[in-house]
Amino acid sequence: MNKLQEHVYLTETILRILKQNRIITILDFLQEDAEKLSTLTKLNLSQILEIRQAIFNKHSANLIIGSTLFVNNITTKKFILTGINSLDTTLVSGIPVGLITEICGLAGSGKSQLCMQLAINFVKESNNIVLYIDTKGDFSAVRIQKILEAHGLSHKDMAVILLKIRVVYIWNIEELIRLLENIKKGVLKIENLSMIIIDSLPCLMFQHFGDNNNMGLTFLNRVINYSRYLSKEFQIGFIFVNIQTRWIDQDITDPEDTESACSIKDLTYNEKRTRCLGKYWKTIPALVIELEKLKLETNSCVTIKVLVTHHINPSAIKSCFINVSAQGVI
């Protein structure tokens, strides 16, 4: 919270007196009893209220007329279709605009493949621009080119599509925060930006896991706040790729404790899957798309099971299947 700053009535002497009474920040000043503030500062109540009003005017959000909100609600874009029929049917409307979407799964489950296919589909039929933030260094323009060639596109058309996918390589969380901040402030302007894909966030957060000073949580919170602001302000979709880990718990049942006699202990293995980034992150995405690679595959096609969960009703899980082949994700 911002510290109290000098005001017409808040001189250096008064600020020092307030600090001595543990009234340091703006929040401290607003929460304190007005009569107590008057007694400490020797200012009358009207002056205290005037200071508070000045703080509200400076830090409060701008007022928006209800009719303006209604018009914005019915005219703004709310979803972006993925271009994958089975996935769009399961999502009902597509990737939500103004909210955060997470794509997660075990290693090798097709997360990056899906992200590259989504980037192609988002820009293929329109003037939309996708900002693809690669944190692993494995974005493949060659892979995208092969997908486009499989669909019979000319080199000119492929070049147009590739130019609409703006790739940025980010290697630490501070760089990501600066990038999002520059977009917010207008330092970095991207016309017709419709989607930001970050593949993946845990790669930037692993180095901060276990920090005693909670710096990792602070960085994560800033990324989330910037992402939410940009998604709502610029009406864009925001996709984060998350990693899923698998844990195997071994439960041993001793037959001596049971009625049946047996000389060999029974082993039971319980598999647990966990989304990375901790408990705080679990409540952040409005939509979670979980990928599970199935063992049923051929030389030319891999089948992936997709589980979709909305934050509105997390217990209602929908599913579908997508196929990954030389023609991309279908």
Side-chain angles (χ1 to χ4, degrees):
M1 177 58 68
N2 296 334
K3 292 184 177 180
L4 277 173
Q5 299 177 350
E6 289 192 22
H7 181 267
V8 176
Y9 302 128
L10 294 179
T11 62
E12 291 185 7
T13 303
I14 292 177
L15 287 175
R16 186 167 58 254
I17 293 173
L18 292 173
K19 186 175 181 180
Q20 291 172 353
N21 288 270
R22 297 183 179 180
I23 303 174
I24 302 172
T25 66
I26 291 174
L27 183 60
D28 295 335
F29 187 85
L30 294 176
Q31 290 181 336
E32 192 55 76
D33 182 71
E35 292 185 357
K36 180 179 178 180
L37 292 174
S38 179
T39 303
L40 291 173
T41 61
K42 307 303 181 185
L43 299 173
N44 58 49
L45 286 176
S46 62
Q47 291 172 323
I48 297 295
L49 295 177
E50 186 176 337
I51 296 171
R52 286 186 170 181
Q53 188 60 48
I55 292 173
F56 287 135
N57 293 338
K58 182 177 180 179
H59 296 280
S60 297
N62 297 326
L63 294 177
I64 302 178
I65 300 174
S67 59
T68 303
L69 283 174
F70 176 75
V71 172
N72 291 339
N73 184 58
I74 62 176
T75 57
T76 54
K77 180 171 56 177
K78 294 182 175 61
F79 296 94
I80 302 176
L81 293 176
T82 67
I84 304 171
N85 293 334
S86 59
L87 185 56
D88 281 329
T89 302
T90 305
L91 295 174
V92 179
S93 301
I95 301 296
V97 171
L99 298 171
I100 292 177
T101 297
E102 173 188 339
I103 295 177
C104 69
L106 297 173
S109 59
K111 300 183 295 295
S112 295
Q113 292 276 12
L114 177 58
C115 286
M116 285 188 280
Q117 185 67 60
L118 292 178
I120 294 173
N121 294 349
F122 290 149
V123 304
K124 189 166 58 174
E125 302 296 340
S126 63
N127 294 323
N128 294 334
I129 299 296
V130 170
L131 179 62
Y132 198 109
I133 300 175
D134 184 6
T135 68
K136 302 178 296 181
D138 60 358
F139 177 85
S140 176
V142 175
R143 168 63 177 159
I144 290 181
Q145 182 179 351
K146 289 181 178 180
I147 294 173
L148 297 176
E149 286 178 348
H151 288 271
L153 272 70
S154 65
H155 289 286
K156 180 180 179 180
D157 292 335
M158 286 190 288
V160 171
I161 290 175
L162 286 169
L163 286 173
K164 292 179 182 179
I165 303 174
R166 312 286 174 83
V167 183
V168 178
Y169 294 98
I170 296 292
W171 308 115
N172 59 66
I173 196 68
E174 293 94 333
E175 289 182 1
L176 177 60
I177 292 173
R178 283 195 296 270
L179 175 64
L180 298 178
E181 185 178 13
N182 287 337
I183 297 176
K184 175 185 176 182
K185 293 181 177 179
V187 176
L188 176 60
K189 295 183 179 180
I190 305 176
E191 298 293 334
N192 299 321
L193 179 63
S194 65
M195 181 70 65
I196 295 180
I197 299 174
I198 300 178
D199 182 17
S200 70
L201 187 56
C203 292
L204 305 180
M205 291 300 302
F206 280 153
Q207 57 189 304
H208 297 287
F209 282 178
D211 286 352
N212 293 327
N213 56 4
N214 291 324
M215 282 301 297
L217 184 59
T218 301
F219 287 140
L220 180 59
N221 190 51
R222 292 186 64 185
V223 169
I224 292 168
N225 288 337
Y226 277 127
S227 302
R228 283 175 168 169
Y229 175 86
L230 293 175
S231 61
K232 291 183 181 296
E233 184 68 18
F234 296 99
Q235 288 297 294
I236 61 177
F238 230 105
I239 295 178
F240 284 93
V241 174
N242 194 6
I243 298 173
Q244 197 176 44
T245 57
R246 178 168 55 188
W247 301 85
I248 305 296
D249 288 341
Q250 177 178 311
D251 296 331
I252 302 177
T253 304
D254 194 337
E256 293 181 358
D257 298 332
T258 62
E259 295 180 357
S260 60
C262 182
S263 60
I264 302 176
K265 296 181 179 181
D266 296 327
L267 298 180
T268 303
Y269 296 94
N270 296 321
E271 179 182 301
K272 296 181 181 179
R273 297 190 180 188
T274 306
R275 291 156 53 203
C276 288
L277 301 177
K279 294 181 180 179
Y280 173 64
W281 172 262
K282 288 183 179 180
T283 61
I284 300 303
L287 176 69
V288 177
I289 301 174
E290 181 182 340
L291 306 182
E292 180 181 354
K293 185 178 180 180
L294 300 182
K295 294 182 180 179
L296 300 174
E297 59 181 272
T298 63
N299 294 330
S300 60
C301 184
V302 177
T303 301
I304 296 174
K305 183 178 181 180
V306 181
L307 301 176
V308 177
T309 307
H310 292 269
H311 74 290
I312 299 176
N313 189 4
S315 61
I317 302 176
K318 297 181 179 180
S319 64
C320 67
F321 295 91
I322 57 177
N323 296 315
V324 179
S325 64
Q327 295 184 340
V329 181
I330 54 177

